[in-house]
Amino acid sequence: MTEKPQPPSIHQIPLSTGGGIPARKGFELQDHVAASYCIGMLADPRIREVWSEAHDDVVLIWQAGPEEEVEFVQVKGAKLNQLWSVALLCEQSSDLQAKHGTSIIERSLCRHCCSEACRFRIVTAEGVQEELRPLTYETGSNERIQEQQALVALSTKLAARTENACSPNGQGTAFWVSHTVWQVVHTTDALKTRNLRDLDKQLEQLGHFLLADQR
């Protein structure tokens, strides 16, 4: 039997040539999310690299011991006038209704194609319904551990709605649920204010003092 080839490193996977500047209008929240991780690099040496518009909205390369770990971040800044739900998470793209695999969770899962360990993050302006609330706790936290039963139920529901969607590396919705954090930032202005505060703190610790307009 022929062995399945080893997945390539994230550093070896070619970037898509789509998108670019014309498609970036209205992506202000995404820019501030990326900036928050760039600022985070000043304090957390585990964040090795921050990629914007490369494989996903934002990609983080973490140093996890001797190995690297990749975090794929999708940013959804649109105002929905409703809370995020399983239905929205599994909804096929309105521009590609005839195609499968275009939902948020399926596009997130498809990023799991590299040899490095992977995790995922969804960043939204709107909050989530109760069925997605367990994802808002960081993995490994006591709150997350206490939600295991709800997370199993969520994984089962996602699998049914996506016809058992699977990543290129052979992992399904149970893997996605256990490796995903949902972060609600509410508004771009709120995130921008937090970024400026964090930047002030990091610059002060480095011995740099800037005026507001210089920041």
Short mmCIF file of all heavy atoms in Angstrom, two decimals, residues 15-74:
data_model
loop_
_atom_site.label_atom_id
_atom_site.label_comp_id
_atom_site.label_asym_id
_atom_site.label_seq_id
_atom_site.Cartn_x
_atom_site.Cartn_y
_atom_site.Cartn_z
N LEU A 15 1.00 30.89 -1.95
CA LEU A 15 -0.09 31.79 -1.60
C LEU A 15 -1.01 31.97 -2.79
O LEU A 15 -0.59 31.92 -3.94
CB LEU A 15 0.47 33.15 -1.18
CG LEU A 15 1.38 33.17 0.05
CD1 LEU A 15 1.88 34.59 0.28
CD2 LEU A 15 0.65 32.66 1.26
N SER A 16 -2.29 32.21 -2.50
CA SER A 16 -3.24 32.50 -3.55
C SER A 16 -2.93 33.85 -4.17
O SER A 16 -2.48 34.78 -3.49
CB SER A 16 -4.67 32.52 -2.98
OG SER A 16 -5.58 33.04 -3.92
N THR A 17 -3.17 33.98 -5.47
CA THR A 17 -2.93 35.26 -6.16
C THR A 17 -4.18 36.12 -6.19
O THR A 17 -4.18 37.21 -6.73
CB THR A 17 -2.47 35.02 -7.61
OG1 THR A 17 -3.46 34.23 -8.30
CG2 THR A 17 -1.15 34.28 -7.63
N GLY A 18 -5.29 35.63 -5.59
CA GLY A 18 -6.53 36.40 -5.59
C GLY A 18 -6.51 37.48 -4.53
O GLY A 18 -5.59 37.60 -3.72
N GLY A 19 -7.56 38.29 -4.50
CA GLY A 19 -7.68 39.32 -3.46
C GLY A 19 -6.86 40.54 -3.81
O GLY A 19 -6.92 41.07 -4.91
N GLY A 20 -6.07 41.01 -2.86
CA GLY A 20 -5.25 42.18 -3.09
C GLY A 20 -5.93 43.44 -2.64
O GLY A 20 -6.98 43.44 -2.02
N ILE A 21 -5.34 44.56 -2.98
CA ILE A 21 -5.82 45.87 -2.52
C ILE A 21 -7.26 46.15 -2.93
O ILE A 21 -8.06 46.61 -2.12
CB ILE A 21 -4.88 46.98 -3.03
CG1 ILE A 21 -3.51 46.83 -2.35
CG2 ILE A 21 -5.46 48.36 -2.73
CD1 ILE A 21 -2.47 47.81 -2.86
N PRO A 22 -7.69 45.89 -4.20
CA PRO A 22 -9.06 46.22 -4.57
C PRO A 22 -10.10 45.51 -3.72
O PRO A 22 -11.19 46.02 -3.51
CB PRO A 22 -9.14 45.76 -6.04
CG PRO A 22 -7.74 45.82 -6.52
CD PRO A 22 -6.91 45.40 -5.34
N ALA A 23 -9.78 44.31 -3.20
CA ALA A 23 -10.75 43.56 -2.42
C ALA A 23 -10.71 43.90 -0.94
O ALA A 23 -11.48 43.37 -0.16
CB ALA A 23 -10.50 42.07 -2.61
N ARG A 24 -9.85 44.82 -0.52
CA ARG A 24 -9.63 45.06 0.89
C ARG A 24 -10.46 46.23 1.44
O ARG A 24 -10.32 46.58 2.60
CB ARG A 24 -8.15 45.33 1.18
CG ARG A 24 -7.24 44.20 0.76
CD ARG A 24 -6.02 44.07 1.63
NE ARG A 24 -6.38 43.54 2.94
CZ ARG A 24 -6.54 44.27 4.03
NH1 ARG A 24 -6.38 45.56 3.99
NH2 ARG A 24 -6.86 43.73 5.17
N LYS A 25 -11.29 46.84 0.61
CA LYS A 25 -12.11 47.94 1.10
C LYS A 25 -13.06 47.44 2.18
O LYS A 25 -13.70 46.41 2.04
CB LYS A 25 -12.90 48.56 -0.06
CG LYS A 25 -12.01 49.26 -1.09
CD LYS A 25 -12.84 49.86 -2.20
CE LYS A 25 -11.95 50.58 -3.23
NZ LYS A 25 -12.74 51.13 -4.34
N GLY A 26 -13.17 48.18 3.28
CA GLY A 26 -14.07 47.80 4.35
C GLY A 26 -13.48 46.79 5.31
O GLY A 26 -14.19 46.29 6.18
N PHE A 27 -12.19 46.48 5.20
CA PHE A 27 -11.57 45.47 6.04
C PHE A 27 -10.81 46.10 7.21
O PHE A 27 -9.80 45.57 7.65
CB PHE A 27 -10.61 44.62 5.21
CG PHE A 27 -11.30 43.59 4.34
CD1 PHE A 27 -12.67 43.63 4.13
CD2 PHE A 27 -10.56 42.58 3.74
CE1 PHE A 27 -13.30 42.69 3.34
CE2 PHE A 27 -11.17 41.64 2.94
CZ PHE A 27 -12.55 41.68 2.73
N GLU A 28 -11.30 47.22 7.72
CA GLU A 28 -10.59 47.93 8.77
C GLU A 28 -10.43 47.07 10.02
O GLU A 28 -9.38 47.07 10.65
CB GLU A 28 -11.31 49.23 9.12
CG GLU A 28 -10.52 50.11 10.09
CD GLU A 28 -11.24 51.40 10.39
OE1 GLU A 28 -12.41 51.57 10.00
OE2 GLU A 28 -10.63 52.27 11.05
N LEU A 29 -11.47 46.33 10.40
CA LEU A 29 -11.38 45.49 11.59
C LEU A 29 -10.28 44.46 11.43
O LEU A 29 -9.51 44.21 12.36
CB LEU A 29 -12.72 44.80 11.86
CG LEU A 29 -12.73 43.86 13.07
CD1 LEU A 29 -12.41 44.63 14.35
CD2 LEU A 29 -14.07 43.15 13.20
N GLN A 30 -10.19 43.87 10.25
CA GLN A 30 -9.15 42.87 10.00
C GLN A 30 -7.76 43.47 10.19
O GLN A 30 -6.87 42.84 10.76
CB GLN A 30 -9.29 42.32 8.58
CG GLN A 30 -8.25 41.27 8.22
CD GLN A 30 -8.48 40.70 6.83
OE1 GLN A 30 -9.62 40.44 6.45
NE2 GLN A 30 -7.43 40.52 6.07
N ASP A 31 -7.57 44.70 9.73
CA ASP A 31 -6.27 45.36 9.88
C ASP A 31 -5.93 45.56 11.36
O ASP A 31 -4.78 45.36 11.78
CB ASP A 31 -6.28 46.72 9.17
CG ASP A 31 -6.37 46.57 7.66
OD1 ASP A 31 -5.97 45.52 7.14
OD2 ASP A 31 -6.83 47.53 7.01
N HIS A 32 -6.92 45.95 12.17
CA HIS A 32 -6.66 46.17 13.59
C HIS A 32 -6.43 44.85 14.33
O HIS A 32 -5.68 44.82 15.31
CB HIS A 32 -7.80 46.97 14.22
CG HIS A 32 -7.79 48.42 13.84
ND1 HIS A 32 -6.80 49.28 14.26
CD2 HIS A 32 -8.62 49.16 13.06
CE1 HIS A 32 -7.03 50.50 13.76
NE2 HIS A 32 -8.13 50.44 13.03
N VAL A 33 -7.08 43.77 13.87
CA VAL A 33 -6.81 42.46 14.45
C VAL A 33 -5.36 42.07 14.19
O VAL A 33 -4.63 41.63 15.09
CB VAL A 33 -7.77 41.40 13.89
CG1 VAL A 33 -7.32 39.99 14.29
CG2 VAL A 33 -9.19 41.64 14.38
N ALA A 34 -4.91 42.24 12.94
CA ALA A 34 -3.52 41.94 12.60
C ALA A 34 -2.56 42.81 13.42
O ALA A 34 -1.54 42.34 13.92
CB ALA A 34 -3.29 42.14 11.11
N ALA A 35 -2.91 44.09 13.55
CA ALA A 35 -2.06 45.01 14.32
C ALA A 35 -1.95 44.57 15.78
O ALA A 35 -0.90 44.71 16.40
CB ALA A 35 -2.61 46.42 14.23
N SER A 36 -3.05 44.04 16.33
CA SER A 36 -3.02 43.61 17.74
C SER A 36 -1.99 42.52 17.95
O SER A 36 -1.32 42.47 19.00
CB SER A 36 -4.41 43.14 18.17
OG SER A 36 -4.76 41.89 17.58
N TYR A 37 -1.84 41.64 16.98
CA TYR A 37 -0.84 40.57 17.11
C TYR A 37 0.58 41.11 16.87
O TYR A 37 1.54 40.62 17.49
CB TYR A 37 -1.15 39.44 16.14
CG TYR A 37 -2.37 38.65 16.55
CD1 TYR A 37 -3.54 38.68 15.79
CD2 TYR A 37 -2.37 37.88 17.71
CE1 TYR A 37 -4.65 37.97 16.17
CE2 TYR A 37 -3.49 37.17 18.11
CZ TYR A 37 -4.63 37.21 17.32
OH TYR A 37 -5.75 36.52 17.71
N CYS A 38 0.71 42.09 15.99
CA CYS A 38 2.03 42.70 15.79
C CYS A 38 2.50 43.38 17.08
O CYS A 38 3.66 43.27 17.46
CB CYS A 38 1.98 43.71 14.65
SG CYS A 38 1.76 42.99 13.01
N ILE A 39 1.57 44.06 17.77
CA ILE A 39 1.90 44.67 19.05
C ILE A 39 2.21 43.57 20.07
O ILE A 39 3.13 43.70 20.89
CB ILE A 39 0.73 45.55 19.54
CG1 ILE A 39 0.53 46.73 18.59
CG2 ILE A 39 0.99 46.06 20.96
CD1 ILE A 39 -0.75 47.51 18.83
N GLY A 40 1.46 42.48 19.99
CA GLY A 40 1.69 41.36 20.90
C GLY A 40 3.07 40.76 20.77
O GLY A 40 3.61 40.20 21.74
N MET A 41 3.68 40.88 19.60
CA MET A 41 5.02 40.34 19.39
C MET A 41 6.04 41.03 20.29
O MET A 41 7.09 40.45 20.62
CB MET A 41 5.44 40.50 17.92
CG MET A 41 4.62 39.69 16.95
SD MET A 41 5.07 40.01 15.22
CE MET A 41 6.56 39.01 15.09
N LEU A 42 5.76 42.27 20.70
CA LEU A 42 6.69 43.00 21.56
C LEU A 42 6.76 42.38 22.95
O LEU A 42 7.78 42.50 23.64
CB LEU A 42 6.25 44.46 21.68
CG LEU A 42 6.28 45.29 20.39
CD1 LEU A 42 5.64 46.65 20.63
CD2 LEU A 42 7.70 45.45 19.88
N ALA A 43 5.67 41.72 23.37
CA ALA A 43 5.61 41.17 24.72
C ALA A 43 5.71 39.66 24.76
O ALA A 43 6.12 39.09 25.77
CB ALA A 43 4.32 41.62 25.41
N ASP A 44 5.31 39.01 23.67
CA ASP A 44 5.23 37.54 23.66
C ASP A 44 6.16 36.98 22.59
O ASP A 44 5.83 37.00 21.40
CB ASP A 44 3.79 37.10 23.39
CG ASP A 44 3.57 35.62 23.66
OD1 ASP A 44 4.57 34.87 23.71
OD2 ASP A 44 2.41 35.21 23.81
N PRO A 45 7.33 36.48 22.97
CA PRO A 45 8.28 35.97 21.99
C PRO A 45 7.81 34.72 21.27
O PRO A 45 8.42 34.31 20.28
CB PRO A 45 9.53 35.70 22.83
CG PRO A 45 9.02 35.47 24.21
CD PRO A 45 7.84 36.38 24.35
N ARG A 46 6.72 34.13 21.75
CA ARG A 46 6.20 32.93 21.07
C ARG A 46 5.58 33.27 19.72
O ARG A 46 5.48 32.41 18.84
CB ARG A 46 5.16 32.23 21.95
CG ARG A 46 5.71 31.67 23.26
CD ARG A 46 4.56 31.10 24.07
NE ARG A 46 3.54 32.13 24.30
CZ ARG A 46 2.28 31.86 24.63
NH1 ARG A 46 1.87 30.60 24.77
NH2 ARG A 46 1.42 32.84 24.84
N ILE A 47 5.14 34.53 19.56
CA ILE A 47 4.58 34.95 18.26
C ILE A 47 5.75 35.27 17.35
O ILE A 47 6.38 36.32 17.45
CB ILE A 47 3.66 36.17 18.41
CG1 ILE A 47 2.59 35.94 19.46
CG2 ILE A 47 3.00 36.48 17.06
CD1 ILE A 47 1.69 37.13 19.71
N ARG A 48 6.05 34.37 16.43
CA ARG A 48 7.22 34.52 15.57
C ARG A 48 6.93 35.37 14.35
O ARG A 48 7.75 36.17 13.90
CB ARG A 48 7.74 33.15 15.13
CG ARG A 48 8.19 32.26 16.28
CD ARG A 48 9.41 32.84 16.98
NE ARG A 48 10.51 33.03 16.04
CZ ARG A 48 11.36 32.07 15.68
NH1 ARG A 48 11.24 30.85 16.20
NH2 ARG A 48 12.34 32.32 14.84
N GLU A 49 5.75 35.19 13.76
CA GLU A 49 5.41 35.89 12.52
C GLU A 49 3.91 36.17 12.48
O GLU A 49 3.11 35.40 13.02
CB GLU A 49 5.81 35.06 11.29
CG GLU A 49 7.29 34.73 11.20
CD GLU A 49 7.63 33.83 10.01
OE1 GLU A 49 6.88 33.87 9.01
OE2 GLU A 49 8.62 33.09 10.10
N VAL A 50 3.54 37.28 11.84
CA VAL A 50 2.14 37.63 11.60
C VAL A 50 1.98 37.87 10.11
O VAL A 50 2.62 38.75 9.54
CB VAL A 50 1.73 38.91 12.38
CG1 VAL A 50 0.27 39.27 12.08
CG2 VAL A 50 1.94 38.72 13.87
N TRP A 51 1.15 37.06 9.47
CA TRP A 51 0.90 37.19 8.03
C TRP A 51 -0.51 37.74 7.82
O TRP A 51 -1.46 37.28 8.45
CB TRP A 51 0.99 35.85 7.32
CG TRP A 51 2.30 35.13 7.48
CD1 TRP A 51 3.44 35.58 8.07
CD2 TRP A 51 2.58 33.79 7.03
NE1 TRP A 51 4.42 34.62 8.02
CE2 TRP A 51 3.93 33.51 7.39
CE3 TRP A 51 1.84 32.81 6.37
CZ2 TRP A 51 4.53 32.29 7.11
CZ3 TRP A 51 2.44 31.61 6.09
CH2 TRP A 51 3.78 31.34 6.45
N SER A 52 -0.66 38.70 6.94
CA SER A 52 -1.97 39.25 6.61
C SER A 52 -2.31 38.90 5.17
O SER A 52 -1.48 39.05 4.27
CB SER A 52 -1.98 40.77 6.80
OG SER A 52 -3.28 41.30 6.62
N GLU A 53 -3.56 38.42 4.96
CA GLU A 53 -4.00 38.02 3.62
C GLU A 53 -3.08 36.94 3.04
O GLU A 53 -2.69 37.00 1.88
CB GLU A 53 -4.05 39.24 2.69
CG GLU A 53 -5.09 40.28 3.07
CD GLU A 53 -6.52 39.81 2.82
OE1 GLU A 53 -6.71 38.83 2.08
OE2 GLU A 53 -7.44 40.42 3.38
N ALA A 54 -2.73 35.98 3.85
CA ALA A 54 -1.89 34.87 3.39
C ALA A 54 -2.50 33.58 3.91
O ALA A 54 -2.44 33.31 5.11
CB ALA A 54 -0.46 35.03 3.90
N HIS A 55 -3.14 32.81 3.04
CA HIS A 55 -3.85 31.58 3.38
C HIS A 55 -5.15 31.86 4.11
O HIS A 55 -6.13 31.13 3.93
CB HIS A 55 -2.97 30.63 4.21
CG HIS A 55 -1.69 30.24 3.56
ND1 HIS A 55 -1.65 29.60 2.33
CD2 HIS A 55 -0.40 30.40 3.93
CE1 HIS A 55 -0.39 29.37 1.99
NE2 HIS A 55 0.39 29.86 2.95
N ASP A 56 -5.17 32.87 4.98
CA ASP A 56 -6.39 33.26 5.69
C ASP A 56 -6.30 34.76 5.95
O ASP A 56 -5.32 35.40 5.59
CB ASP A 56 -6.55 32.47 6.99
CG ASP A 56 -8.00 32.12 7.28
OD1 ASP A 56 -8.89 32.88 6.85
OD2 ASP A 56 -8.25 31.09 7.94
N ASP A 57 -7.35 35.32 6.60
CA ASP A 57 -7.32 36.77 6.85
C ASP A 57 -6.05 37.16 7.60
O ASP A 57 -5.38 38.13 7.25
CB ASP A 57 -8.55 37.18 7.66
CG ASP A 57 -9.84 36.99 6.87
OD1 ASP A 57 -9.78 36.96 5.62
OD2 ASP A 57 -10.90 36.84 7.50
N VAL A 58 -5.75 36.40 8.66
CA VAL A 58 -4.51 36.58 9.40
C VAL A 58 -3.97 35.19 9.73
O VAL A 58 -4.74 34.29 10.07
CB VAL A 58 -4.73 37.37 10.71
CG1 VAL A 58 -3.40 37.54 11.47
CG2 VAL A 58 -5.35 38.73 10.44
N VAL A 59 -2.68 35.01 9.61
CA VAL A 59 -2.04 33.75 9.99
C VAL A 59 -0.93 34.07 10.99
O VAL A 59 -0.11 34.96 10.76
CB VAL A 59 -1.45 33.01 8.77
CG1 VAL A 59 -0.67 31.77 9.22
CG2 VAL A 59 -2.55 32.62 7.79
N LEU A 60 -0.93 33.35 12.10
CA LEU A 60 0.08 33.53 13.13
C LEU A 60 0.98 32.30 13.18
O LEU A 60 0.50 31.17 13.16
CB LEU A 60 -0.57 33.72 14.50
CG LEU A 60 -1.63 34.82 14.61
CD1 LEU A 60 -2.26 34.79 15.99
CD2 LEU A 60 -1.03 36.18 14.31
N ILE A 61 2.27 32.54 13.23
CA ILE A 61 3.23 31.46 13.41
C ILE A 61 3.72 31.52 14.84
O ILE A 61 4.39 32.49 15.24
CB ILE A 61 4.42 31.58 12.43
CG1 ILE A 61 3.92 31.69 10.98
CG2 ILE A 61 5.36 30.38 12.59
CD1 ILE A 61 3.15 30.50 10.48
N TRP A 62 3.35 30.54 15.63
CA TRP A 62 3.73 30.48 17.05
C TRP A 62 4.89 29.51 17.22
O TRP A 62 4.99 28.50 16.54
CB TRP A 62 2.57 29.98 17.90
CG TRP A 62 1.39 30.90 17.98
CD1 TRP A 62 0.36 31.00 17.09
CD2 TRP A 62 1.10 31.84 19.01
NE1 TRP A 62 -0.56 31.94 17.50
CE2 TRP A 62 -0.13 32.47 18.68
CE3 TRP A 62 1.75 32.20 20.19
CZ2 TRP A 62 -0.71 33.44 19.49
CZ3 TRP A 62 1.17 33.17 21.00
CH2 TRP A 62 -0.05 33.78 20.64
N GLN A 63 5.76 29.82 18.17
CA GLN A 63 6.81 28.89 18.55
C GLN A 63 6.30 28.07 19.72
O GLN A 63 6.13 28.57 20.83
CB GLN A 63 8.09 29.63 18.94
CG GLN A 63 9.30 28.72 19.09
CD GLN A 63 9.74 28.14 17.74
OE1 GLN A 63 9.78 28.86 16.75
NE2 GLN A 63 10.05 26.86 17.72
N ALA A 64 6.00 26.81 19.47
CA ALA A 64 5.48 25.92 20.51
C ALA A 64 6.56 24.92 20.89
O ALA A 64 6.64 23.83 20.34
CB ALA A 64 4.23 25.20 20.01
N GLY A 65 7.43 25.32 21.81
CA GLY A 65 8.57 24.47 22.14
C GLY A 65 9.54 24.45 20.97
O GLY A 65 9.83 25.47 20.37
N PRO A 66 10.01 23.27 20.60
CA PRO A 66 10.95 23.19 19.48
C PRO A 66 10.27 23.28 18.12
O PRO A 66 10.92 23.47 17.10
CB PRO A 66 11.61 21.82 19.67
CG PRO A 66 10.56 21.01 20.36
CD PRO A 66 9.85 21.97 21.28
N GLU A 67 8.95 23.17 18.10
CA GLU A 67 8.20 23.15 16.85
C GLU A 67 7.40 24.44 16.67
O GLU A 67 7.18 25.19 17.61
CB GLU A 67 7.24 21.95 16.81
CG GLU A 67 7.91 20.61 17.06
CD GLU A 67 8.87 20.23 15.96
OE1 GLU A 67 8.68 20.68 14.82
OE2 GLU A 67 9.82 19.45 16.24
N GLU A 68 6.95 24.68 15.44
CA GLU A 68 6.06 25.80 15.15
C GLU A 68 4.61 25.33 15.13
O GLU A 68 4.31 24.19 14.80
CB GLU A 68 6.42 26.43 13.79
CG GLU A 68 7.72 27.20 13.79
CD GLU A 68 7.99 27.88 12.46
OE1 GLU A 68 7.50 27.39 11.42
OE2 GLU A 68 8.71 28.89 12.46
N GLU A 69 3.72 26.24 15.49
CA GLU A 69 2.28 25.99 15.42
C GLU A 69 1.64 27.13 14.64
O GLU A 69 2.03 28.29 14.79
CB GLU A 69 1.67 25.90 16.82
CG GLU A 69 0.19 25.55 16.82
CD GLU A 69 -0.37 25.39 18.23
OE1 GLU A 69 0.31 25.80 19.19
OE2 GLU A 69 -1.48 24.87 18.37
N VAL A 70 0.68 26.80 13.80
CA VAL A 70 0.04 27.79 12.93
C VAL A 70 -1.38 28.05 13.42
O VAL A 70 -2.15 27.12 13.68
CB VAL A 70 -0.02 27.30 11.47
CG1 VAL A 70 -0.58 28.39 10.56
CG2 VAL A 70 1.36 26.86 10.99
N GLU A 71 -1.72 29.34 13.58
CA GLU A 71 -3.09 29.72 13.93
C GLU A 71 -3.70 30.48 12.77
O GLU A 71 -3.18 31.52 12.34
CB GLU A 71 -3.11 30.58 15.20
CG GLU A 71 -4.53 30.93 15.63
CD GLU A 71 -4.59 31.61 16.99
OE1 GLU A 71 -3.52 31.94 17.54
OE2 GLU A 71 -5.70 31.81 17.50
N PHE A 72 -4.81 29.96 12.25
CA PHE A 72 -5.52 30.58 11.13
C PHE A 72 -6.67 31.41 11.69
O PHE A 72 -7.54 30.89 12.40
CB PHE A 72 -6.05 29.51 10.17
CG PHE A 72 -4.96 28.71 9.50
CD1 PHE A 72 -4.62 27.45 9.97
CD2 PHE A 72 -4.28 29.23 8.41
CE1 PHE A 72 -3.62 26.70 9.36
CE2 PHE A 72 -3.28 28.48 7.79
CZ PHE A 72 -2.95 27.22 8.26
N VAL A 73 -6.68 32.70 11.36
CA VAL A 73 -7.67 33.62 11.92
C VAL A 73 -8.57 34.16 10.81
O VAL A 73 -8.10 34.72 9.83
CB VAL A 73 -6.97 34.81 12.63
CG1 VAL A 73 -8.00 35.71 13.29
CG2 VAL A 73 -5.95 34.30 13.65
N GLN A 74 -9.88 33.96 10.98
CA GLN A 74 -10.85 34.56 10.09
C GLN A 74 -11.52 35.72 10.82
O GLN A 74 -11.94 35.57 11.97
CB GLN A 74 -11.92 33.54 9.65
CG GLN A 74 -11.41 32.52 8.65
CD GLN A 74 -12.54 31.79 7.95
OE1 GLN A 74 -13.61 32.36 7.69
NE2 GLN A 74 -12.31 30.53 7.63
#
